[in-house]
Amino acid sequence: MKFLKGLAGVLAVIAIAVATVWAVMAIWHRFPTTETVRMGLCAMMALAGVIGVVTLFTRHRGKGMITFFVAFGATLFWWNTLTPPANRDWARDVARQSYGEISGETLTVHDIRDFNWRSKEDFDENWISKEFDLSQIKSTDVFLSYWGPQYMAHLIVSFGFENGDHLAWSVEVRRQKGGGFSPVADMFKANTLAILAATERDIVGLRTNVRGEDVQLYRLRVREEAARRILTGFIEDATDLAAKPRWYNSLFTNCTTVVTKIMDGVGAGQAWDWRVVANGYLPDFAYDIGAVNTDLPLEELRELGRVAPRAIEHGLEPGFSAAIRVGVPVP
């Protein structure tokens, strides 16, 4: 009995500590006031958490818990009043949200990004609408773009069609002009979510030819009916998002969550693996489950899939998608 009471106490301490840290960070990153006032509110929330923990094992625990729950409850109430905005002065590259509809075998996608990039700041805006024949889906590919630590990458899923067209999908942070991406701040309703359809010349070329990132291409072993289901999921999610904005979250609503859309398609079902979160290691996971070409060692497959040299050599010109796939093994 003493052991159980002790364990319950430890769990209560952990719960209060986690809730307090979350509340403090939420107030700091999102409460709309001056920095001085935010610091004061954070200090008050932290003090309420300390009181809750310190009094937990004393005869004053009732008062201590009331103090904590009032402070935390007030923070939670305020937090739930924050709603994602539909209209803001968005950065130009995420100014629109892709959407579309399906009629029979015809998929029509609107606001596909097809920018002409010369530098990060110098580009021509071009948003297009295009029709695709769902019965002609030929391939499903994944691009992983590494910009820093190798355990994390940005993931892009691209669908190829018999006529040579490719339609790429990328989950992005919908920033305001002058805004940026912060893994910590974006866990606290700092930015909204964008699901963008784009040409590969735009979405991949930006990363290879302009940003200088290490972009790796992996051709997936996906059944045609599964590819169609995955693509349909993208268009449904994007269209829903166009009608009802959602917050971006660095942990729970980001480019990594795209992986769940392709798991079934590569035959992994609901399998869980730590490399789904640390998505820089997704190639290792895909190799282990046979979702990519396994006739070659993984390191050789990785090297053949590095598309930046071919992208830079070809330039951001027509034929980009075909050029970057030269020599990349298919499953």
Side-chain angles (χ1 to χ4, degrees):
M1 183 61 71
K2 288 184 178 180
F3 171 76
L4 293 178
K5 289 180 67 174
L7 179 60
V10 170
L11 293 176
V13 168
I14 293 173
I16 293 172
V18 170
T20 301
V21 170
W22 175 86
V24 167
M25 294 186 72
I27 293 168
W28 178 253
H29 286 289
R30 292 294 289 130
F31 200 82
T33 186
T34 65
E35 183 174 319
T36 301
V37 174
R38 283 203 309 273
M39 289 179 64
L41 292 172
C42 288
M44 291 171 63
M45 183 63 240
L47 179 61
V50 171
I51 291 173
V53 169
V54 170
T55 61
L56 192 62
F57 302 100
T58 72
R59 61 188 179 89
H60 300 293
R61 59 179 172 274
K63 293 180 180 179
M65 293 307 296
I66 289 174
T67 300
F68 168 74
F69 279 120
V70 167
F72 183 74
T75 303
L76 202 59
F77 176 82
W78 155 74
W79 180 256
N80 287 326
T81 66
L82 300 178
T83 57
N87 297 299
R88 278 188 177 172
D89 190 14
W90 305 116
R92 293 160 63 193
D93 58 321
V94 288
R96 303 192 189 186
Q97 166 58 49
S98 304
Y99 66 100
E101 61 274 343
I102 297 173
S103 178
E105 295 295 318
T106 301
L107 165 65
T108 304
V109 186
H110 306 285
D111 286 336
I112 301 171
R113 203 180 74 188
D114 185 30
F115 284 17
N116 296 307
W117 296 92
R118 289 177 291 274
S119 71
K120 295 178 184 178
E121 293 78 27
D122 182 18
F123 52 86
D124 299 322
E125 294 183 51
N126 190 33
W127 300 90
I128 63 175
S129 295
K130 194 168 185 176
E131 292 185 350
F132 301 88
D133 188 341
L134 291 174
S135 69
Q136 299 298 309
I137 296 177
K138 181 181 179 181
S139 62
T140 305
D141 301 324
V142 164
F143 293 90
L144 288 169
S145 186
Y146 296 83
W147 72 93
Q150 290 300 296
Y151 61 81
M152 194 58 65
H154 183 76
L155 187 146
I156 298 166
V157 181
S158 184
F159 300 89
F161 296 82
E162 292 287 352
N163 63 359
D165 285 341
H166 288 83
L167 180 65
W169 291 90
S170 176
V171 175
E172 307 262 343
V173 177
R174 199 174 194 191
R175 314 171 321 281
Q176 297 183 67
K177 286 183 179 178
F181 169 72
S182 168
V184 176
D186 281 323
M187 288 190 290
F188 296 95
K189 298 183 178 181
N191 289 301
T192 55
L193 178 70
I195 301 177
L196 290 182
T199 62
E200 291 184 346
R201 185 178 67 89
D202 173 329
I203 204 79
V204 177
L206 168 64
R207 289 165 169 80
T208 54
N209 294 41
V210 177
R211 295 180 182 171
E213 297 176 6
D214 176 20
V215 181
Q216 300 171 17
L217 168 61
Y218 296 90
R219 318 294 304 272
L220 298 181
R221 181 178 286 111
V222 178
R223 304 179 305 277
E224 289 183 9
E225 64 273 18
R228 177 172 178 151
R229 187 166 60 250
I230 298 167
L231 176 54
T232 299
F234 272 109
I235 197 66
E236 289 175 348
D237 287 351
T239 302
D240 288 345
L241 188 62
K244 187 178 180 181
R246 300 200 305 272
W247 293 111
Y248 182 92
N249 187 285
S250 306
L251 288 179
F252 305 112
T253 311
N254 53 49
C255 69
T256 303
T257 60
V258 173
V259 178
T260 61
K261 293 186 178 299
I262 65 175
M263 295 286 277
D264 180 61
V266 299
Q270 299 299 313
W272 170 253
D273 192 280
W274 64 272
R275 291 167 291 189
V276 172
V277 176
N279 66 352
Y281 298 105
L282 271 176
D284 305 70
F285 178 49
Y287 192 87
D288 288 347
I289 65 175
V292 294
N293 185 302
T294 54
D295 295 334
L296 302 171
L298 177 57
E299 284 309 310
E300 185 175 350
L301 186 68
R302 194 189 311 273
E303 287 303 315
L304 292 172
R306 295 185 190 277
V307 301
R310 293 187 290 275
I312 293 170
E313 180 180 1
H314 181 82
L316 302 181
E317 304 295 336
F320 179 87
S321 293
I324 62 175
R325 283 173 170 78
V326 173
V328 181
V330 298

